[in-house]
Amino acid sequence: MDLGLKDRVYIVTGGTRGLGRAAARELVAEGARVVVSGRSEKSVAAAEEELGGTGQVVGVVADNADAGAPERLIAAARDAFKRLDGVLVSVGGPPTGTSDTIDDDQWRAAFETVFLGAVRLSRAVAVELGEGGVIGFVLSTSVYEPIPSLAISNAFRPGLAGYAKNLANELGPQGIRAVGLVPAHIETDWVRELYDRAEDADATRERATADVPLRRYGTPDEFGRSAAFLLSPAASYLTGVMLSIDGGVRRGF
C-alpha cells in the first residue's frame, strides 16, 4: 500500500534517538522529508547523516522546553522544503520518582518539556497546516493507568492525551487530524542497556515479556512503521485516536 508520504514534510522532535528516530527513519523510507530535532549538535549531525542528509533530512538543535523552538523548527521546514504537512512530538521519558520524592523544580522542568512544550509546538504548527495536516504525540501507557515510580509521567501523559483529543475536535473542521501513539514494551537502546546491567539478561527479558500476548518486545522499526502510517494520508479518516503499539499488553478496548 502506498502511504502517500512522498515529498510530504514532517517535523519530528526527539528525532535523533529512540522512538522519534525510528519514526523519522520510516517516514524518510516512504519518501517523506523530515526536520528532526535533538538537544545536542552531535546527536543532530549523526541523525542527519544516518537518515539521508541534505535534501531529505534537516537537523535542528532544539529543546521542547524552549519557547523559541517551534519558530526555529517551522522555519527550518519552510526554508529547506517549502512546506509543512505535520509534526510528531516525541520527548524522552521524564525523571523517575514517586510523588513524595519529586521536588517542585523537577515538576516545573518536566511540565515545560513534556506538557507545555508539546502544547506550544502543536499550537504553532496548527497555524501552518492546511487540510490533510496532522499533529501526532508520542505518549505512554500511563495514559491509561499509573506506572510505578513514574509519578511525573502519570500526571502529564494523560493530560496530553486529553489535549490531543481536544485538538482533534477543534481542528477537525479544517481537515487537520490529531493523534496519539501509545507505545509499550519496545526494545529501545535504553531497554537494552537495562539488559546489559542485569545478571541474567535472558531471564530478565523473559520476565519482562511474560505478560505480553506476543511474548516478545516490539522493535523500534515496528513502532516507526505504525507512526508513519498514522501520520500518512493513508490514515486520513483517523483522528482523536490513541493507537496502542504494545504487543497486546493493553487488554481493554
Side-chain angles (χ1 to χ4, degrees):
M1 178 175 66
D2 182 1
L3 297 182
L5 284 166
K6 183 173 174 54
D7 295 330
R8 294 178 74 85
V9 177
Y10 296 87
I11 294 168
V12 181
T13 71
T16 62
R17 64 193 300 264
L19 299 182
R21 188 160 176 167
R25 184 165 52 244
E26 292 300 327
L27 288 168
V28 170
E30 291 290 334
R33 297 171 182 176
V34 179
V35 175
V36 295
S37 71
R39 289 186 289 184
S40 78
E41 291 277 4
K42 183 178 179 180
S43 67
V44 166
E48 270 191 331
E49 182 177 359
E50 190 254 329
L51 294 173
T54 305
Q56 202 72 38
V57 179
V58 170
V60 177
V61 178
D63 187 328
N64 282 15
D66 179 2
E71 182 179 355
R72 295 203 308 277
L73 292 169
I74 292 168
R78 293 295 189 193
D79 291 347
F81 306 124
K82 312 306 180 189
R83 62 184 288 174
L84 181 61
D85 298 286
V87 62
L88 181 65
V89 184
S90 177
V91 297
T96 60
T98 56
S99 58
D100 59 335
T101 63
I102 300 168
D103 63 29
D104 286 0
D105 289 339
Q106 289 175 303
W107 278 110
R108 290 190 189 96
F111 175 75
E112 289 283 343
T113 300
V114 175
F115 190 84
L116 185 56
V119 170
R120 186 187 291 123
L121 178 57
S122 65
R123 185 174 59 208
V125 167
V127 175
E128 302 290 324
L129 296 178
E131 185 173 355
V134 59
I135 297 171
F137 301 89
V138 179
L139 304 169
S140 87
T141 54
S142 60
V143 164
Y144 300 115
E145 57 184 285
I147 301 172
S149 298
L150 287 179
I152 290 177
S153 181
N154 296 336
F156 292 148
R157 301 290 196 194
L160 200 53
Y163 173 73
K165 296 284 281 187
N166 178 72
L167 271 187
N169 291 337
E170 292 181 348
L171 300 178
Q174 302 171 45
I176 299 170
R177 301 184 295 119
V179 296
L181 295 97
V182 187
H185 293 81
I186 306 294
E187 191 169 359
T188 60
D189 290 339
W190 180 75
V191 170
R192 283 190 287 272
E193 287 172 14
L194 292 180
Y195 287 152
D196 291 341
R197 297 175 198 166
E199 187 173 326
D200 187 335
D202 290 338
T204 301
R205 180 190 293 268
E206 186 173 345
R207 286 194 300 271
T209 57
D211 291 331
V212 180
L214 291 179
R215 294 299 189 272
R216 66 175 178 85
Y217 271 104
T219 68
D221 285 348
E222 288 175 314
F223 171 86
R225 288 192 290 271
S226 298
F229 167 72
L230 199 56
L231 293 171
S232 78
S236 58
Y237 203 55
L238 297 179
T239 192
V241 298
M242 300 292 123
L243 179 65
S244 294
I245 308 167
D246 62 5
V249 167
R250 178 169 165 76
R251 302 304 203 272
F253 293 107

